[in-house]
Each structure stands twice: as C-alpha cells, then as structure tokens.
Amino acid sequence: MNDTPKRPDPIVVEGARIKFKNFTGEQRQYNPAGQRNFVLCLPDELAQQLASEGWNVKWKPGRHPEDPDEAQLTVKVKFKEPGDERGQDPIAYLIQGRRKLALDGRTVGILDRLAPLNIDLIVRPYVWDINGNVGITAYLDEIYYTAVEGLSSKYADYEEVRG
C-alpha cells in the first residue's frame, strides 16, 4: 500500500497576508543562507482543508491570550540555478501604480523591503516520500505583489516646471 498523499491542486490566494518575508534568501536566526521563503497566513477553513490533504500547516498561538490561533504555511521560493534545466522559475511581478515589473532570481529580493498593499499568489504542492516519511512542501508558483506607493509615483505624470 502506498501512503504517499495524492498530489493536491495548487492553491490560489487573493488578498494574501504574508510575513517573515525572505525573498533574498539571506541568513537569519531561523533561516540558512540561500533559502528563500515566506509564511502565508491562512484562513481557518482553507487551513483545515490543506492540513487534511497533507500540507505542512502549523498553528501558532495568537499574540494575546484572547486571540485565536493563526494557521500558517511556509512557502519556499525556488529559482533555478544557472544550467539547471529541471522545473521552472516562479512567475513574480511587482505592481506599482500602472506599472507591472517582472522579477527574477536577482531582483525578487526587492519585495523584502516593500510594504504590500495587496498580494495575489498561487502556491503549488510538491509531494515527497523519503524513507517512508511523506508530506507536501509548498512552493511559490506565481505572485503579484502590489506595493504601497509613495508620493513620487502619485505625481509622476505631472509636468515638472522650474520657477
């Protein structure tokens, strides 16, 4: 009998809330150098569904005793190394005003420094089975990251006149 979970469908989250962003893959207290990832906060119903499918959903205690526990899913961000033909890079866009800027492995780290206004994303599952241990790892497939705009973009279309 094979206990490997069947491959679930990718999950689409519009208006996502993420935290602990590390798109650069920098070394941090809980993150080895080179590992890009973030934590996706999940609505309870979706979290229950994903957990039942075998995704690695964690419940963290609320900030205050009266706050409910928060369901979270760590999502890995993997770009291919030069010369690697396996897999495909995630689709990543930074949205600022009316501009849509495509990001790649060299530029996606900018998202670590920008406050989000809205995030829409797709997470794909990777089902693994190692020595009888099975599970599902979440990988970023697509992200559209709308950043909070500063005043310079609000007035970018105005003609500049020096007086």
Side-chain angles (χ1 to χ4, degrees):
M1 185 169 115
N2 186 358
D3 290 337
T4 302
K6 77 173 190 70
R7 182 169 185 199
D9 293 329
I11 55 174
V12 177
V13 181
E14 295 183 49
R17 191 167 67 85
I18 68 174
K19 56 188 185 180
F20 308 122
K21 300 181 293 185
N22 191 354
F23 287 95
T24 56
E26 74 178 27
Q27 182 173 347
R28 296 184 181 162
Q29 182 177 1
Y30 300 107
N31 195 77
Q35 288 190 7
R36 304 172 195 242
N37 52 52
F38 59 87
V39 171
L40 173 62
C41 302
L42 300 168
D44 205 45
E45 188 175 308
L46 177 59
Q48 298 291 342
Q49 173 196 331
L50 296 178
S52 71
E53 292 175 353
W55 296 75
N56 191 18
V57 176
K58 304 282 187 196
W59 276 265
K60 301 295 182 191
R63 294 180 89 170
H64 305 287
E66 66 275 6
D67 291 344
D69 290 352
E70 181 178 60
Q72 301 178 352
L73 179 67
T74 298
V75 179
K76 294 184 176 187
V77 180
K78 178 92 169 128
F79 286 89
K80 293 187 296 188
E81 297 295 323
D84 189 356
E85 297 302 319
R86 298 172 297 148
Q88 67 182 45
D89 287 343
I91 297 167
Y93 285 101
L94 169 60
I95 312 298
Q96 288 185 305
R98 303 289 307 153
R99 294 188 340 227
K100 182 170 92 171
L101 177 64
L103 303 174
D104 60 21
R106 292 171 310 160
T107 58
V108 73
I110 193 171
L111 300 182
D112 289 345
R113 299 187 312 271
L114 297 173
L117 182 62
N118 183 64
I119 301 171
D120 297 331
L121 51 80
I122 299 175
V123 175
R124 66 179 162 78
Y126 174 74
V127 179
W128 53 268
D129 182 347
I130 301 172
N131 299 327
N133 295 317
V134 296
I136 299 172
T137 301
Y139 281 91
L140 179 65
D141 194 42
E142 292 185 40
I143 187 167
Y144 293 83
Y145 189 107
T146 304
V148 173
E149 294 185 59
L151 289 176
S152 60
S153 59
K154 178 179 179 180
Y155 295 101
D157 293 335
Y158 286 79
E159 178 183 354
E160 184 174 332
V161 178
R162 302 262 174 190

